[in-house]
Amino acid sequence: MRDKVIACFRALHRARRVVFEGDERALAAARIKINEEFSKNKSETDPEKIQEFIKIAEDAENLLKKTVVQAREKEGGKYELRITKDTVREDNAKLPPEVRNTKPSNKKR
């Protein structure tokens, strides 16, 4: 069981490095959170609870890898998305032409 916990810990850190590559602030925050959660539960001895924590860690890894997309602002208010090979891409509804070609409003509502 210990080997599985260590494998989950390492997998989460690998996912963190891939997903937040180039974003030092997000990398550090994710590292702290992962380490805190594992440290908080390091003295747990109940196999059922440990298995539950392993499942949570595996789910968190999958969520990070498949759903987190980073955007960086480029010139003119345009954004570049950083999509990885693991990012889930689904078909989106197409916008009508009159909406696609309009500039976003800077008005506050």
PDB file of all heavy atoms in Angstrom, residues 3 21 26 29 45 54 58 64 70 76-77 82 86 88 95 98:
ATOM      1  N   ASP A   3       3.736   1.685  -1.399  1.00  0.00           N
ATOM      2  CA  ASP A   3       4.222   1.928  -2.759  1.00  0.00           C
ATOM      3  C   ASP A   3       3.172   2.646  -3.602  1.00  0.00           C
ATOM      4  O   ASP A   3       3.505   3.514  -4.411  1.00  0.00           O
ATOM      5  CB  ASP A   3       4.619   0.611  -3.434  1.00  0.00           C
ATOM      6  CG  ASP A   3       5.865  -0.003  -2.812  1.00  0.00           C
ATOM      7  OD1 ASP A   3       6.617   0.718  -2.120  1.00  0.00           O
ATOM      8  OD2 ASP A   3       6.080  -1.219  -3.008  1.00  0.00           O
ATOM      9  N   GLU A  21       3.361  24.114 -16.431  1.00  0.00           N
ATOM     10  CA  GLU A  21       4.685  24.429 -16.966  1.00  0.00           C
ATOM     11  C   GLU A  21       4.784  25.922 -17.325  1.00  0.00           C
ATOM     12  O   GLU A  21       3.915  26.471 -17.996  1.00  0.00           O
ATOM     13  CB  GLU A  21       4.945  23.594 -18.219  1.00  0.00           C
ATOM     14  CG  GLU A  21       6.296  23.840 -18.836  1.00  0.00           C
ATOM     15  CD  GLU A  21       6.505  23.027 -20.103  1.00  0.00           C
ATOM     16  OE1 GLU A  21       5.676  22.138 -20.393  1.00  0.00           O
ATOM     17  OE2 GLU A  21       7.478  23.285 -20.801  1.00  0.00           O
ATOM     18  N   ALA A  26       1.738  29.070  -9.993  1.00  0.00           N
ATOM     19  CA  ALA A  26       0.833  27.918  -9.936  1.00  0.00           C
ATOM     20  C   ALA A  26       1.591  26.642  -9.571  1.00  0.00           C
ATOM     21  O   ALA A  26       1.075  25.815  -8.817  1.00  0.00           O
ATOM     22  CB  ALA A  26       0.114  27.749 -11.270  1.00  0.00           C
ATOM     23  N   ALA A  29       2.192  26.811  -5.781  1.00  0.00           N
ATOM     24  CA  ALA A  29       0.943  26.635  -5.030  1.00  0.00           C
ATOM     25  C   ALA A  29       0.482  25.181  -5.073  1.00  0.00           C
ATOM     26  O   ALA A  29       0.069  24.617  -4.048  1.00  0.00           O
ATOM     27  CB  ALA A  29      -0.137  27.556  -5.582  1.00  0.00           C
ATOM     28  N   THR A  45      -3.538   4.775   9.281  1.00  0.00           N
ATOM     29  CA  THR A  45      -3.224   3.336   9.212  1.00  0.00           C
ATOM     30  C   THR A  45      -4.399   2.489   8.740  1.00  0.00           C
ATOM     31  O   THR A  45      -4.208   1.327   8.388  1.00  0.00           O
ATOM     32  CB  THR A  45      -2.765   2.828  10.597  1.00  0.00           C
ATOM     33  OG1 THR A  45      -3.796   3.092  11.551  1.00  0.00           O
ATOM     34  CG2 THR A  45      -1.461   3.478  11.027  1.00  0.00           C
ATOM     35  N   ILE A  54      -6.088   7.354  -1.830  1.00  0.00           N
ATOM     36  CA  ILE A  54      -5.464   7.008  -3.113  1.00  0.00           C
ATOM     37  C   ILE A  54      -6.422   7.338  -4.253  1.00  0.00           C
ATOM     38  O   ILE A  54      -6.023   7.919  -5.268  1.00  0.00           O
ATOM     39  CB  ILE A  54      -5.043   5.521  -3.139  1.00  0.00           C
ATOM     40  CG1 ILE A  54      -3.838   5.303  -2.217  1.00  0.00           C
ATOM     41  CG2 ILE A  54      -4.746   5.049  -4.561  1.00  0.00           C
ATOM     42  CD1 ILE A  54      -3.476   3.842  -1.985  1.00  0.00           C
ATOM     43  N   GLU A  58      -5.793   9.937  -7.303  1.00  0.00           N
ATOM     44  CA  GLU A  58      -5.888   9.542  -8.719  1.00  0.00           C
ATOM     45  C   GLU A  58      -6.900  10.415  -9.456  1.00  0.00           C
ATOM     46  O   GLU A  58      -6.657  10.829 -10.599  1.00  0.00           O
ATOM     47  CB  GLU A  58      -6.270   8.067  -8.828  1.00  0.00           C
ATOM     48  CG  GLU A  58      -5.166   7.136  -8.386  1.00  0.00           C
ATOM     49  CD  GLU A  58      -5.610   5.679  -8.280  1.00  0.00           C
ATOM     50  OE1 GLU A  58      -6.831   5.398  -8.204  1.00  0.00           O
ATOM     51  OE2 GLU A  58      -4.714   4.810  -8.265  1.00  0.00           O
ATOM     52  N   LEU A  64      -6.594  17.298 -13.134  1.00  0.00           N
ATOM     53  CA  LEU A  64      -5.542  18.245 -13.538  1.00  0.00           C
ATOM     54  C   LEU A  64      -5.156  18.038 -14.998  1.00  0.00           C
ATOM     55  O   LEU A  64      -5.112  18.989 -15.779  1.00  0.00           O
ATOM     56  CB  LEU A  64      -4.293  18.045 -12.683  1.00  0.00           C
ATOM     57  CG  LEU A  64      -4.154  18.814 -11.401  1.00  0.00           C
ATOM     58  CD1 LEU A  64      -2.899  18.364 -10.650  1.00  0.00           C
ATOM     59  CD2 LEU A  64      -4.107  20.299 -11.641  1.00  0.00           C
ATOM     60  N   GLN A  70      -4.361  26.409 -19.438  1.00  0.00           N
ATOM     61  CA  GLN A  70      -3.844  27.734 -19.093  1.00  0.00           C
ATOM     62  C   GLN A  70      -3.945  28.654 -20.292  1.00  0.00           C
ATOM     63  O   GLN A  70      -3.748  28.245 -21.428  1.00  0.00           O
ATOM     64  CB  GLN A  70      -2.400  27.639 -18.637  1.00  0.00           C
ATOM     65  CG  GLN A  70      -2.290  26.980 -17.283  1.00  0.00           C
ATOM     66  CD  GLN A  70      -0.991  27.308 -16.627  1.00  0.00           C
ATOM     67  OE1 GLN A  70       0.026  26.802 -17.036  1.00  0.00           O
ATOM     68  NE2 GLN A  70      -1.057  28.149 -15.621  1.00  0.00           N
ATOM     69  N   GLY A  76      -3.016  42.829 -27.890  1.00  0.00           N
ATOM     70  CA  GLY A  76      -4.369  43.161 -28.329  1.00  0.00           C
ATOM     71  C   GLY A  76      -5.475  42.462 -27.557  1.00  0.00           C
ATOM     72  O   GLY A  76      -6.571  42.306 -28.077  1.00  0.00           O
ATOM     73  N   GLY A  77      -5.215  42.020 -26.351  1.00  0.00           N
ATOM     74  CA  GLY A  77      -6.256  41.374 -25.555  1.00  0.00           C
ATOM     75  C   GLY A  77      -6.591  39.965 -26.012  1.00  0.00           C
ATOM     76  O   GLY A  77      -7.590  39.397 -25.589  1.00  0.00           O
ATOM     77  N   ARG A  82      -2.843  27.007 -23.692  1.00  0.00           N
ATOM     78  CA  ARG A  82      -1.847  25.944 -23.648  1.00  0.00           C
ATOM     79  C   ARG A  82      -2.587  24.641 -23.372  1.00  0.00           C
ATOM     80  O   ARG A  82      -3.000  24.353 -22.263  1.00  0.00           O
ATOM     81  CB  ARG A  82      -0.829  26.227 -22.549  1.00  0.00           C
ATOM     82  CG  ARG A  82       0.366  25.321 -22.661  1.00  0.00           C
ATOM     83  CD  ARG A  82       1.449  25.708 -21.663  1.00  0.00           C
ATOM     84  NE  ARG A  82       2.272  24.556 -21.457  1.00  0.00           N
ATOM     85  CZ  ARG A  82       1.955  23.535 -20.655  1.00  0.00           C
ATOM     86  NH1 ARG A  82       0.856  23.564 -19.976  1.00  0.00           N
ATOM     87  NH2 ARG A  82       2.744  22.496 -20.544  1.00  0.00           N
ATOM     88  N   ASP A  86      -3.201  15.503 -23.112  1.00  0.00           N
ATOM     89  CA  ASP A  86      -4.203  14.867 -22.254  1.00  0.00           C
ATOM     90  C   ASP A  86      -5.482  15.684 -22.101  1.00  0.00           C
ATOM     91  O   ASP A  86      -6.471  15.177 -21.564  1.00  0.00           O
ATOM     92  CB  ASP A  86      -3.617  14.630 -20.856  1.00  0.00           C
ATOM     93  CG  ASP A  86      -2.472  13.632 -20.874  1.00  0.00           C
ATOM     94  OD1 ASP A  86      -2.632  12.580 -21.524  1.00  0.00           O
ATOM     95  OD2 ASP A  86      -1.433  13.918 -20.257  1.00  0.00           O
ATOM     96  N   VAL A  88      -8.942  17.115 -22.437  1.00  0.00           N
ATOM     97  CA  VAL A  88     -10.171  16.631 -23.068  1.00  0.00           C
ATOM     98  C   VAL A  88     -10.729  17.755 -23.932  1.00  0.00           C
ATOM     99  O   VAL A  88     -10.892  18.882 -23.476  1.00  0.00           O
ATOM    100  CB  VAL A  88     -11.212  16.204 -22.008  1.00  0.00           C
ATOM    101  CG1 VAL A  88     -12.531  15.844 -22.662  1.00  0.00           C
ATOM    102  CG2 VAL A  88     -10.694  15.042 -21.190  1.00  0.00           C
ATOM    103  N   LEU A  95     -20.912  29.401 -32.820  1.00  0.00           N
ATOM    104  CA  LEU A  95     -21.545  30.704 -32.643  1.00  0.00           C
ATOM    105  C   LEU A  95     -22.033  31.213 -33.990  1.00  0.00           C
ATOM    106  O   LEU A  95     -21.392  30.984 -35.020  1.00  0.00           O
ATOM    107  CB  LEU A  95     -20.550  31.705 -32.053  1.00  0.00           C
ATOM    108  CG  LEU A  95     -20.103  31.438 -30.623  1.00  0.00           C
ATOM    109  CD1 LEU A  95     -19.005  32.427 -30.241  1.00  0.00           C
ATOM    110  CD2 LEU A  95     -21.263  31.553 -29.667  1.00  0.00           C
ATOM    111  N   GLU A  98     -22.669  36.595 -36.716  1.00  0.00           N
ATOM    112  CA  GLU A  98     -22.745  37.960 -36.171  1.00  0.00           C
ATOM    113  C   GLU A  98     -22.131  38.068 -34.778  1.00  0.00           C
ATOM    114  O   GLU A  98     -21.675  39.124 -34.372  1.00  0.00           O
ATOM    115  CB  GLU A  98     -24.190  38.490 -36.167  1.00  0.00           C
ATOM    116  CG  GLU A  98     -25.146  37.714 -35.277  1.00  0.00           C
ATOM    117  CD  GLU A  98     -25.787  36.496 -35.943  1.00  0.00           C
ATOM    118  OE1 GLU A  98     -25.420  36.123 -37.059  1.00  0.00           O
ATOM    119  OE2 GLU A  98     -26.672  35.919 -35.301  1.00  0.00           O
TER     120      GLU A  98
END
